[in-house]
């Protein structure tokens, strides 16, 4: 009998929307699935209709590798990369969508663990690199990772983007918005108790415990605008979480297609968290993208996709940046 295949809807230029490592021995946080209903009673929840949030802010960041580089000192070689990062937000209300200014653009020289190389070189830090791009100077500020693997510089880039997203999101939690959606996990610390959610469009981890088969079985049953019951994730800071289905999958898609996971601060009451979860289940699907418009549809929401396009523009043309870097390196070898 042939294997029963199902398709991941995301375009092959991207990693898949489903990347769960189901290793039961992995170091997973404690999860309480009985916050809203008993674990054995889990089933899809279809919230009652409510008015749309008046003003929604979507926060996201993008990163781009400009060049792979090495630092060679005293016979030691350290791998790294020059990268650009841009972070911003878009406001959506009855008048349409608009970019929240200013957009933050940073450039970094991302390195692995630098202690050994810098010890050989007789220094304790790397100086920023300023590259003449013609119309503007490109300043790449060094940032290193604590890991020692050759590709650990990737951590340095990821962490800088997350830090910038956190700083940007912190500006928007003053009560001016009916809902703030942070792309990725909710990393604001302390997590604000208001209508602020982390929005994870790629399912990396299976949070629902294996000893609750009813909980896990609920996810494939979700239909568009339905959510799972709340569960509590006990990490450094406790978070409420829930899954929701943005739109109904096609018959050829895998059973979790179109499902995202959301997080909110556990400092709010359970009833407040239920209200917030219902609001996201009812209204975030309004922003779901289509395969014709976005290769990561439907999870890459339309405001986020538009914001990403603007952020990439703000980083500058990649060919222009690469040529400026190459000129700088040629000048270094000639000196």
């Amino acid at each position: 009998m042939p294997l029963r295949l199902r398709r991941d809807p995301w375009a092959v230029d991207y990693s898949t929307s489903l990347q769960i490592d189901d290793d039961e021995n992995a170091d997973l946080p404690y999860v309480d699935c009985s916050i809203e209903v008993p674990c054995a009673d889990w089933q899809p929840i279809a919230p009652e209709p409510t008015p749309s949030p008046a003003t929604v802010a979507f926060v996201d960041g993008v990163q781009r590798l400009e060049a792979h580089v090495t630092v060679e000192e005293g016979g030691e070689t350290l791998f790294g990369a020059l990268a650009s990062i841009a972070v911003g937000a878009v406001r959506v209300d009855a008048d349409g969508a608009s970019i929240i200014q200013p957009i933050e653009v940073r450039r970094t020289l991302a390195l692995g663990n630098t202690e050994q190389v810098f010890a050989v070189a007789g220094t304790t830090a790397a100086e920023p690199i300023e590259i003449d791009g013609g119309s503007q100077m490109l300043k790449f500020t060094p940032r290193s990772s604590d890991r020692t693997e050759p590709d650990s510089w990737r951590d340095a880039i990821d962490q800088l983007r997350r830090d910038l997203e956190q700083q940007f999101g912190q500006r928007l939690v003053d009560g001016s918005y009916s809902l703030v959606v942070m792309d990725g996990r909710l990393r604001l610390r302390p997590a604000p108790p208001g209508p602020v959610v982390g929005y994870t469009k790629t399912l990396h981890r299976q949070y629902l415990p294996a000893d609750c088969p009813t909980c896990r079985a609920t996810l494939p049953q979700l239909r568009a605008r339905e959510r799972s019951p709340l569960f509590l994730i006990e990490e450094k800071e406790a978070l409420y979480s829930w899954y929701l289905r943005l739109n109904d999958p096609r018959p050829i898609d895998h059973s979790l297609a179109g499902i995202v996971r959301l997080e909110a601060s556990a400092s709010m009451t359970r009833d407040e968290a239920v209200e917030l979860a219902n609001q996201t289940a009812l209204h975030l699907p309004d922003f779901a993208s289509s395969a014709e418009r976005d290769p990561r549809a439907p999870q890459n929401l339309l405001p986020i996709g538009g914001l990403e396009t603007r952020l990439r523009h703000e980083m500058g043309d990649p060919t222009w940046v690469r040529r400026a870097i190459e000129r700088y390196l040629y000048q270094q070898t000639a000196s």
Side-chain angles (χ1 to χ4, degrees):
M1 179 179 295
L3 293 175
R4 186 174 181 269
L5 301 180
R6 290 295 180 267
R7 183 179 182 273
D8 189 289
W10 286 15
V12 294
D13 293 341
Y14 294 87
S15 57
T16 64
S17 61
L18 187 63
Q19 300 179 30
I20 293 176
D21 180 5
D22 207 10
D23 181 3
E24 302 300 343
N25 296 317
D27 185 18
L28 298 177
Y30 172 75
V31 172
D32 184 353
C33 296
S34 62
I35 294 299
E36 187 173 1
V37 298
C39 297
D41 294 339
W42 265 49
Q43 59 182 340
I45 296 174
E48 294 293 326
T50 60
S52 301
T55 309
V56 185
F58 296 87
V59 182
D60 194 16
V62 298
Q63 60 195 51
R64 185 178 71 205
L65 292 184
E66 309 291 8
H68 292 279
V69 297
T70 58
V71 175
E72 300 174 6
E73 293 285 353
E76 297 287 343
T77 299
L78 187 69
F79 296 94
L82 295 170
S84 299
I85 296 170
V87 171
V90 60
R91 170 193 175 104
V92 180
D93 56 25
D95 296 325
S98 58
I99 298 294
I100 299 173
Q101 298 291 352
I103 288 173
E104 183 82 19
V105 177
R106 297 282 186 90
R107 305 187 196 275
T108 184
L109 166 60
L111 300 168
N113 192 301
T114 57
E115 291 184 5
Q116 182 179 7
V117 172
F118 288 164
V120 173
T123 184
T124 58
E127 295 293 327
I129 294 175
E130 294 191 355
I131 297 176
D132 186 357
S135 59
Q136 64 175 284
M137 295 297 292
L138 307 177
K139 184 177 181 179
F140 291 85
T141 303
R143 187 179 179 98
S144 63
S145 167
D146 294 332
R147 293 174 49 225
T148 57
E149 292 84 352
D151 66 343
S152 59
W153 49 268
R154 297 182 185 274
D155 289 349
I157 299 173
D158 292 343
Q159 188 57 54
L160 177 57
R161 176 182 52 76
R162 288 193 291 263
D163 290 347
L164 292 174
E165 289 173 350
Q166 177 177 328
Q167 293 166 17
F168 204 107
Q170 200 68 54
R171 294 164 37 192
L172 307 180
V173 296
D174 59 357
S176 301
Y177 297 91
S178 308
L179 177 64
V180 177
V181 180
M182 302 284 298
D183 196 63
R185 297 207 63 188
L186 184 60
R187 294 186 171 87
L188 299 182
R189 295 293 183 269
V196 181
V197 296
Y199 175 88
T200 302
K201 56 179 172 278
T202 303
L203 304 183
H204 288 285
R205 175 179 282 186
Q206 175 59 274
Y207 282 93
L208 302 178
D211 59 2
C212 183
T214 304
C215 300
R216 291 191 174 189
T218 298
L219 300 191
Q221 299 173 29
L222 295 176
R223 308 308 300 171
R225 299 182 192 271
E226 291 183 345
R227 67 171 177 88
S228 75
L230 294 179
F231 55 98
L232 187 70
I233 301 174
E234 293 279 5
E235 295 185 304
K236 293 181 179 179
E237 184 172 348
L239 296 168
Y240 289 117
S241 187
W242 61 98
Y243 293 90
L244 76 85
R245 175 97 68 175
L246 295 171
N247 61 14
D248 290 324
R250 299 171 302 171
I252 65 172
D253 294 339
H254 64 70
S255 63
L256 301 184
I259 290 181
V260 296
R261 189 178 65 82
L262 294 105
E263 296 177 337
S265 171
S267 62
M268 69 179 76
T269 66
R270 191 200 68 168
D271 288 346
E272 290 171 334
V274 167
E275 181 179 354
L276 180 58
N278 287 341
Q279 185 183 56
T280 62
L282 285 167
H283 302 298
L284 283 187
D286 293 337
F287 302 105
S289 55
S290 63
E292 294 77 20
R293 301 189 62 172
D294 196 297
R296 290 171 289 169
Q299 289 96 323
N300 205 44
L301 302 177
L302 288 171
I304 293 176
L307 175 62
E308 289 174 341
T309 299
R310 176 64 180 273
L311 295 177
R312 293 188 184 99
H313 173 77
E314 293 293 327
M315 289 191 297
D317 180 73
T319 302
W320 163 68
V321 175
R322 187 187 71 244
R323 287 174 178 171
I325 291 171
E326 290 179 350
R327 281 197 304 269
Y328 172 83
L329 295 176
Y330 274 119
Q331 290 166 1
Q332 272 201 328
T333 58
S335 60

